[in-house]
Amino acid sequence: MNEDSKLIKKAIIPVAGLGTRFLPLSLAISKEFLPLVDKPIIQYIVEEIKNSGINDITFVVSPKQKMIINYFKKSPDLEKLLIKRKKDKILKELKDFEALFENIKISFAVQKDPLGDGHALIQAYKLGKISSNEAVAVSFGDDIIDSNVPALAQLINIFQTCDAPVIALKQLPRDKIPSYGSVAVEKIANNLYKIKKIIEKPEPDQINSNFVVVGKYILTPEVFEYLGKSKPSKKGEIILGEVFDKMLDDGKVIYGYDIKGEWLECGDKLKWLKSFLYLSLKDPIFGKELKDYLKNIKI
């Protein structure tokens, strides 16, 4: 891989899941639009990608997801109304919001049926926006990392040195690991590991380390080759973790990086609520008053 192909210029955000863990909320709103403080989950994901130096994003959506298409469009009618009503402060907020996405190219690939995260990535690749010789960043909508250096930027730095797929990792207590993708690792350097094995939702006796997979990756063209050849599991899904494990069995090198920052999960209601509280209490506008409120609230 030459130096130009080591530059990560594009990202994929798969958001075509059914959101069943958020029922009945997800009947009315896609889970990526659930709020964290005063903006939706998906905005945190996009801002992280932009702050990692990437300005070309492909969303993988279901056929019914129209909200996400409209969210990143400009709102000229609303702007006119705010000008007419002299709502200067709100107009500025809208303009600032639109400026966040001004130089980002956005495209959409459709995953007609929920056939696994690996299948979602294949749909993005089929769209033709990713060339056969470039690596891409991937960020799923369930995971936000609150950090000084954006999480994807951390992974990109590792990729540019290692020239192989990189998976974001975090450590958890062993009793929590069976709900995640567990990894066996070999330490290479500070925070950097070589992945030896990946087991989705392992039994307790299959756990080899305290590391689990976070939904952020740098994927090389070889990963997409394996995805294209992979066969669906017994559930009829193509799972990225299983494809990684096949690559490992074939002797391919995959790295894991213990990502720096606070891992905020949004995969179910309780995790989302905890993330909401964390960011709300930390918020420079709302945080102080919310902390005072919590001190005085009587339940």
Side-chain angles (χ1 to χ4, degrees):
M1 192 174 285
N2 60 42
E3 290 303 313
D4 285 343
S5 60
K6 286 186 181 182
L7 297 175
I8 307 297
K9 302 174 183 176
K10 298 175 184 176
I12 301 170
I13 308 178
V15 289
L18 296 175
T20 52
R21 292 177 181 175
F22 287 91
L23 288 169
L25 277 169
S26 53
L27 292 174
I29 184 171
S30 299
K31 69 175 183 177
E32 65 271 10
F33 279 98
L34 292 170
L36 290 174
V37 196
D38 59 348
K39 59 188 180 185
I41 294 170
I42 193 64
Q43 187 170 332
Y44 288 86
I45 302 294
V46 172
E47 287 180 8
E48 180 197 293
I49 289 171
K50 179 183 177 183
N51 291 336
S52 297
I54 299 170
N55 64 0
D56 192 327
I57 299 173
T58 299
F59 290 94
V60 183
V61 300
S62 71
K64 295 181 180 179
Q65 283 171 303
K66 308 295 183 185
M67 188 181 296
I68 197 165
I69 297 173
N70 294 326
Y71 187 73
F72 296 102
K73 288 181 179 178
K74 288 193 175 184
S75 307
D77 291 340
L78 179 56
E79 288 181 22
K80 289 178 183 177
L81 183 62
L82 292 173
I83 292 170
K84 183 178 179 181
R85 295 184 178 180
K86 299 182 179 179
K87 301 287 187 180
D88 296 339
K89 183 178 178 182
I90 299 174
L91 179 63
K92 182 181 183 305
E93 289 178 0
L94 179 62
K95 289 285 191 181
D96 290 345
F97 166 74
E98 291 175 344
L100 287 172
F101 314 110
E102 206 162 42
N103 297 316
I104 296 178
K105 299 175 185 176
I106 294 177
S107 56
F108 298 91
V110 177
Q111 186 183 26
K112 293 181 180 179
D113 300 298
L115 299 176
D117 55 0
H119 181 265
L121 295 171
I122 292 170
Q123 308 319 302
Y125 192 75
K126 284 181 177 177
L127 193 63
K129 286 182 62 62
I130 302 166
S131 68
S132 60
N133 67 343
E134 68 178 333
V136 298
V138 174
S139 188
F140 285 85
D142 292 345
D143 297 311
I144 292 168
I145 303 294
D146 181 41
S147 58
N148 294 326
V149 178
L152 285 178
Q154 295 179 48
L155 298 185
I156 290 169
N157 288 338
I158 298 300
F159 169 73
Q160 290 175 339
T161 301
C162 296
D163 198 12
V166 187
I167 301 173
L169 303 177
K170 269 293 186 183
Q171 296 190 62
L172 287 179
R174 291 182 81 85
D175 63 312
K176 302 287 186 184
I177 292 175
S179 299
Y180 296 80
S182 174
V183 295
V185 297
E186 173 191 340
K187 188 167 185 177
I188 301 297
N190 192 31
N191 284 58
L192 181 62
Y193 299 82
K194 187 180 286 188
I195 304 291
K196 308 300 287 184
K197 183 77 177 172
I198 299 176
I199 303 173
E200 291 292 325
K201 297 184 177 179
E203 297 297 326
D205 62 353
Q206 295 177 305
I207 297 171
N208 293 297
S209 78
N210 283 359
F211 284 110
V212 298
V213 175
V214 179
K216 296 180 186 295
Y217 311 84
I218 303 300
L219 301 185
T220 60
E222 193 170 33
V223 177
F224 286 97
E225 288 177 19
Y226 270 80
L227 281 168
K229 296 174 184 176
S230 61
K231 295 180 181 179
S233 65
K234 292 179 181 178
K235 294 182 179 180
E237 298 178 334
I238 297 175
I239 305 299
L240 180 60
E242 294 176 0
V243 171
F244 280 142
D245 217 38
K246 176 66 169 67
M247 293 178 68
L248 293 170
D249 287 343
D250 289 347
K252 306 299 181 182
V253 175
I254 299 173
Y255 290 97
Y257 184 71
D258 186 4
I259 211 83
K260 296 175 183 176
E262 188 72 22
W263 183 15
L264 305 177
E265 298 183 77
C266 301
D268 60 39
K269 291 177 185 176
L270 182 57
K271 291 171 184 173
W272 164 61
L273 286 169
K274 288 179 178 179
S275 297
F276 189 102
L277 281 173
Y278 172 92
L279 289 170
S280 297
L281 294 173
K282 189 181 176 184
D283 188 83
I285 297 173
F286 306 112
K288 183 181 183 303
E289 188 167 339
L290 286 172
K291 288 173 185 176
D292 292 341
Y293 173 72
L294 288 175
K295 289 176 184 176
N296 297 311
I297 192 172
K298 295 179 181 179
I299 298 176

